Amino acid sequence: MKAVIQRVTEASVTIDGKIVAEIGNGLLVLIGIEDADTQEDSAWLTAKIANLRIFGDENEVMNLSLKDTNGDIIVVSQFTLHAQTKKGNRPSYIKASKPDVAIPLYETFVKQMEMELGKPVQTGQFGADMKVRLLNDGPVTIVIDTKNKE
């Protein structure tokens, strides 16, 4: 699984002109799933994101996690994170999982995040044409690939 984690002061997802997710301070997380990803990858990534110390403490040092700040989160599926651009100018998405594999793991990830944080997680809609708006705070943007855990 690949994740792009962005610390935000606000973020929203709009589908067909309707806002389906909206938060203030917290994280916007884009998730890409490939066939080799497992439930263990999802659990590891969930804990990593929830506990990632990228929020400022009283001294403005990035020392607090999403759990510490009780911040909100939006999770958006994004197969383009697995784009391969080595050959030519048209990205290949062959490594990205098809919906029958990706949707159950995406839903598992969201449920695990809700359990980790102890509150609901907002989401986009898998496979939809989404408009994602955010105000990146810092900017702080972190990329994590579960294939590089060690």
Side-chain angles (χ1 to χ4, degrees):
M1 296 177 84
K2 288 186 181 180
V4 174
I5 301 130
Q6 297 176 90
R7 187 179 76 182
V8 300
T9 56
E10 60 184 66
S12 66
V13 177
T14 302
I15 301 172
D16 294 329
K18 180 181 178 220
I19 295 176
V20 298
E22 187 172 35
I23 63 169
N25 289 321
L27 298 177
L28 172 68
V29 178
L30 307 174
I31 294 289
I33 298 169
E34 65 178 335
D35 288 343
D37 292 328
T38 65
Q39 301 279 340
E40 290 77 26
D41 289 318
S42 178
W44 181 86
L45 187 57
T46 298
K48 180 63 87 175
I49 291 170
N51 293 292
L52 201 59
R53 294 175 12 186
I54 59 173
F55 292 90
D57 62 15
E58 65 278 356
N59 298 314
E60 297 303 315
V61 175
M62 287 196 286
N63 209 20
L64 301 174
S65 68
L66 187 65
K67 285 173 79 170
D68 295 330
T69 63
N70 197 32
D72 292 317
I73 185 170
I74 297 177
V75 176
V76 175
S77 64
Q78 186 159 3
F79 74 94
T80 60
L81 293 180
H82 287 289
Q84 294 179 335
T85 58
K86 201 171 192 178
K87 287 174 41 178
N89 293 318
R90 182 176 182 189
S92 168
Y93 303 106
I94 196 153
K95 285 185 76 175
S97 290
K98 302 288 185 255
D100 61 320
V101 172
I103 291 172
L105 195 51
Y106 170 76
E107 291 173 347
T108 295
F109 176 83
V110 171
K111 286 178 188 160
Q112 287 173 327
M113 186 61 73
E114 287 177 337
M115 288 175 42
E116 184 76 31
L117 296 174
K119 64 182 188 176
V121 168
Q122 296 194 49
T123 66
Q125 180 182 337
F126 193 95
D129 180 15
M130 296 174 272
K131 307 302 180 211
V132 179
R133 184 182 60 80
L134 70 133
L135 185 56
N136 195 314
D137 183 19
V140 174
T141 301
I142 310 258
V143 179
I144 298 177
D145 186 337
T146 60
K147 301 304 178 254
N148 297 322
K149 290 182 218 170
E150 300 174 27

